[in-house]
Amino acid sequence: MSISAGSYTFGPDSGRILVHTTRTGLGAKAGHDLTIEVTRWHGDATIDTAAPAGSSVTVEVDAGSLEVRTGTGGVKPLTGSDREEIERIIRGKILHTDRHPTITFRSSRVDGTAESFHIEGDLTIAGTSRLVTVQGLVADDRVRGSAVIVQSRWGIRPYSALFGALKLSDEVEVRLDLGLVARG
């Protein structure tokens, strides 16, 4: 299955954006590898199958809408209060959502085929924009893609606890699974 040329929208009704974190440091056994879902977001895509460079993608995320879905590993299971605390830290100390309520992605370059592509663009997190590349493919009427985000490139200090013995890795993986809805 490939995508047809046209204009499309997408959001939580037709897809998911998940952020995957991993642990590092001497205390890594105490923490959890997290899967965090973005729950409020929307995007637009214009797809030109004849000339992929004429395609474009924009995504806008409510930075306060990240919710911890799962936590694996760790000495003890992740509790509801653990999830709430992590979400509070993400909003207040990592993303500073009071000053930067939106995360945006705007493509600057699209290439590949209708089945396999990569998109380069500016990702703005907490007021800082950096270039990021999304690798993707189209299969079973779904667009799936991923990008690795090195938090420190956006001025974000990865979360740490236990006096630095437990840290989140600087790299997080963002995975997309989207159903595109033709704009009428």
Side-chain angles (χ1 to χ4, degrees), residues 53-117:
S55 300
S56 65
V57 177
T58 60
V59 178
E60 188 171 294
V61 167
D62 177 339
S65 75
L66 280 70
E67 295 182 8
V68 176
R69 294 298 188 213
T70 62
T72 58
V75 175
K76 57 185 177 115
L78 197 63
T79 66
S81 62
D82 292 336
R83 282 185 175 85
E84 289 173 12
E85 176 69 6
I86 292 165
E87 291 166 6
R88 189 183 61 71
I89 290 168
I90 290 170
R91 286 190 297 274
K93 296 183 179 179
I94 296 173
L95 297 178
H96 305 282
T97 59
D98 56 331
R99 292 176 301 193
H100 307 286
T102 307
I103 297 170
T104 58
F105 174 80
R106 296 192 192 313
S107 65
S108 55
R109 184 170 167 230
V110 178
D111 63 25
T113 67
E115 291 81 22
S116 176
F117 58 87

Side-chain angles (χ1 to χ4, degrees), residues 103-157:
I103 297 170
T104 58
F105 174 80
R106 296 192 192 313
S107 65
S108 55
R109 184 170 167 230
V110 178
D111 63 25
T113 67
E115 291 81 22
S116 176
F117 58 87
H118 79 267
I119 303 168
E120 289 181 4
D122 288 321
L123 178 63
T124 304
I125 304 173
T128 300
S129 295
R130 297 283 181 261
L131 191 65
V132 69
T133 301
V134 178
Q135 303 286 350
L137 57 91
V138 178
D140 303 322
D141 294 329
R142 306 291 293 175
V143 176
R144 293 183 177 91
S146 66
V148 173
I149 308 298
V150 179
Q151 297 176 83
S152 58
R153 289 188 58 225
W154 280 264
I156 297 170
R157 247 182 50 200

